[in-house]
Amino acid sequence: MKRTVFIVGLGLIGGSIALAIRKEHDVHIRGYDISDEQLRVALSLKVIDEAPVSFEEGVNGADLIILATPVLKTEQLLEELARFDLKRGAIITDVGSTKVRIVEKAACLKDKKVTFIGGHPMAGSHKSGVEAARAHLFENAFYILTPVENTDVRAIIQLQNWLKGTKATFIELSAEQHDRLAGAISHFPHVIAASLVHQISKIEGEEPLVSRLAAGGFRDITRIASASPTMWRDILLHNKESLLQLLDSWTREMQCVKELIEQESGEEIFTYFQEAKDFRDGLPVRKKGAIPSFYDLFVDVPDHPGVISDVTGILAQHQISLTNIRILETREDIMGVLRLSFRSEEDRERAQIHLQQEMYDTYIL
Ligand code: NAD
């Protein structure tokens, strides 16, 4: 008999995990979502095999239960699970972007013969919903697991086996370490991106031109401010302690920068940027991180009619799909730059090889 996986929350992450599990295992996948529309789409795209009428019905006899809802909802669902009959030996996991409160809440399952292991696949997309789900979403990404001291080792191995179709790299951390690190590299940058956008929107009241000028680079560096407000509200509420500490150290950092500018300390300002550049340039480029990557390739193109169709034609010839194309600069008589966005690192690498063979100058920033 096929094993049963029950996924709750059929959005981007829940849907992608369902597809990744299906790639490697012959399973029966049940899905539950409060949105009938998401359920309907998940069934029609064959992301799930069955949509039980209730959360309780879905849980019944499931070998693996994955909670892929916003983090505040995940806490509530764990409480509900504690009231249901769960299959002996079942593994329960979640995908939430915060871990301490979820792992603490999961202690309510301690009297059940099941194992809860917190999880966070550190990859995403700017889209949400099951339509955006992809089996390869987590390829090359880090997938953090947060077992506790007495978690059954066999269950950790089994969970990794269940999830091997994600092709992610598994790392075990304590929930506290996870929240501290995810706070610094993902949650806090989302706060800063949103506040940069607020700053511009306030200036716009007096200087309407600012929005038009912000259209290019500013829009790019603040793209994470367009992520789901519901998801980010929940994450900030959950990771309060780490974020308050980060805000304190950021405020001190900004005070130092303010003093450097007030004192016109050119040398120290240079060092400030140089050190940031050196550290950033040393960050790995190939792994997916907590902030969704764009697989962008930049191509120098002459200002000549037909050049864009030539570039896209080369990609089409090699069956490489683009997710976006943008002309960054064209002025009379100078080279323009095309920014091509791909779905994966592999597509970008192949595109680079084929475009270079056709004498295009390409580079990755
Ligand atoms: P999403 O909005 O695409 O999907 C969430 C789904 O959960 C929706 O379909 C919603 O209808 C459903 N849902 C909400 N409450 C529910 C409930 N009580 N019962 C059943 N279904 C319910 O969001 P997503 O991006 O898939 O995020 C889901 C989780 O994954 C969040 O906890 C988030 O922190 C985590 N996560 C997100 C990303 C990302 O970049 N999007 C990355 C890693 C982890």
Side-chain angles (χ1 to χ4, degrees):
M1 212 174 91
K2 285 186 184 179
R3 286 174 185 264
T4 300
V5 174
F6 180 38
I7 301 188
V8 188
L10 292 166
L12 170 77
I13 303 294
S16 299
I17 292 203
L19 293 170
I21 289 178
R22 229 191 241 306
K23 258 184 17 185
E24 290 287 335
H25 303 278
D26 185 22
V27 279
H28 181 74
I29 302 187
R30 291 179 191 152
Y32 178 72
D33 199 293
I34 41 164
S35 154
D36 289 339
E37 177 59 14
Q38 287 296 91
L39 273 176
R40 194 188 56 72
V41 177
L43 279 167
S44 71
L45 294 175
K46 301 207 174 3
V47 173
I48 57 170
D49 302 300
E50 181 199 354
V53 289
S54 67
F55 180 45
E56 185 169 9
E57 194 184 304
V59 162
N60 190 15
D63 298 280
L64 171 67
I65 300 172
I66 301 176
L67 304 176
T69 45
V71 288
L72 293 180
K73 292 279 184 274
T74 302
E75 275 190 282
Q76 293 168 11
L77 292 171
L78 283 166
E79 270 178 18
E80 282 186 49
L81 275 182
R83 296 198 290 271
F84 300 154
D85 272 341
L86 304 175
K87 185 171 177 179
R88 199 186 171 91
I91 295 175
I92 301 164
T93 188
D94 79 304
V95 299
S97 308
T98 57
K99 291 275 71 75
V100 171
R101 278 183 50 181
I102 289 173
V103 170
E104 279 171 6
K105 181 60 79 180
C108 67
L109 300 171
K110 68 178 184 316
D111 295 333
K112 307 267 171 189
K113 300 274 180 266
V114 299
T115 305
F116 176 84
I117 302 167
H120 178 198
M122 292 183 96
S125 149
H126 311 282
K127 298 178 185 158
S128 57
V130 72
E131 313 79 24
R134 299 285 177 269
H136 60 69
L137 185 67
F138 310 109
E139 239 169 75
N140 294 324
F142 290 114
Y143 199 128
I144 312 292
L145 296 178
T146 58
V148 293
E149 216 174 358
N150 55 357
T151 304
D152 179 8
V153 173
R154 187 174 290 172
I156 303 174
I157 295 165
Q158 282 176 0
L159 179 59
Q160 293 194 16
N161 267 326
W162 271 118
L163 298 171
K164 66 180 173 204
T166 58
K167 298 207 174 128
T169 305
F170 292 94
I171 292 186
E172 287 176 33
L173 298 177
S174 71
E176 290 75 18
Q177 197 182 4
H178 168 276
D179 283 7
R180 234 183 6 258
L181 297 179
I185 58 161
S186 167
H187 308 167
F188 190 67
H190 275 80
V191 176
I192 298 300
S195 55
L196 287 172
V197 175
H198 277 294
Q199 179 152 297
I200 293 302
S201 87
K202 283 180 192 143
I203 294 174
E204 198 195 24
E206 291 158 27
E207 298 270 12
L209 183 63
V210 76
S211 294
R212 284 174 58 201
L213 296 179
F218 180 82
R219 198 167 185 279
D220 287 348
I221 59 163
T222 54
R223 69 188 154 87
I224 52 176
S226 291
S228 157
T230 309
M231 184 170 121
W232 284 96
R233 176 200 59 198
D234 287 10
I235 290 172
L236 259 60
L237 293 175
H238 252 205
N239 203 9
K240 175 178 162 187
E241 296 310 325
S242 301
L243 286 167
L244 289 178
Q245 280 177 20
L246 287 159
L247 271 166
D248 281 345
S249 67
W250 178 264
T251 310
R252 285 195 298 275
E253 178 91 5
M254 287 302 103
Q255 187 55 38
C256 289
V257 173
K258 188 175 172 204
E259 282 164 21
L260 293 183
I261 298 171
E262 275 170 354
Q263 291 156 11
E264 299 180 22
S265 312
E267 210 167 304
E268 284 169 78
I269 294 172
F270 174 86
T271 306
Y272 188 78
F273 282 115
Q274 185 64 49
E275 285 175 356
K277 174 177 161 42
D278 290 346
F279 186 78
R280 187 202 177 261
D281 290 351
L283 295 176
V285 283
R286 295 177 66 88
K287 280 271 180 206
K288 281 187 193 171
I291 294 175
S293 306
F294 280 137
Y295 299 102
D296 288 347
L297 182 66
F298 295 84
V299 187
D300 284 342
V301 286
D303 181 19
H304 192 277
V307 72
I308 295 180
S309 65
D310 188 46
V311 168
T312 53
I314 294 167
L315 300 179
Q317 194 187 337
H318 297 282
Q319 296 182 331
I320 303 169
S321 311
L322 277 171
T323 56
N324 203 349
I325 180 165
R326 186 159 154 206
I327 306 164
L328 294 185
E329 203 180 336
T330 42
R331 273 178 274 147
E332 231 171 300
D333 298 334
I334 68 154
M335 286 282 205
V337 178
L338 278 185
R339 186 178 71 189
L340 308 176
S341 305
F342 299 92
R343 234 183 357 221
S344 66
E345 176 66 36
E346 191 196 342
D347 283 356
R348 176 168 69 177
E349 271 174 16
R350 288 177 54 230
Q352 187 165 32
I353 291 167
H354 293 300
L355 289 170
Q356 281 175 350
Q357 274 168 358
E358 301 297 335
M359 309 279 296
Y360 281 101
D361 273 340
T362 65
Y363 43 101
I364 293 167
L365 291 182

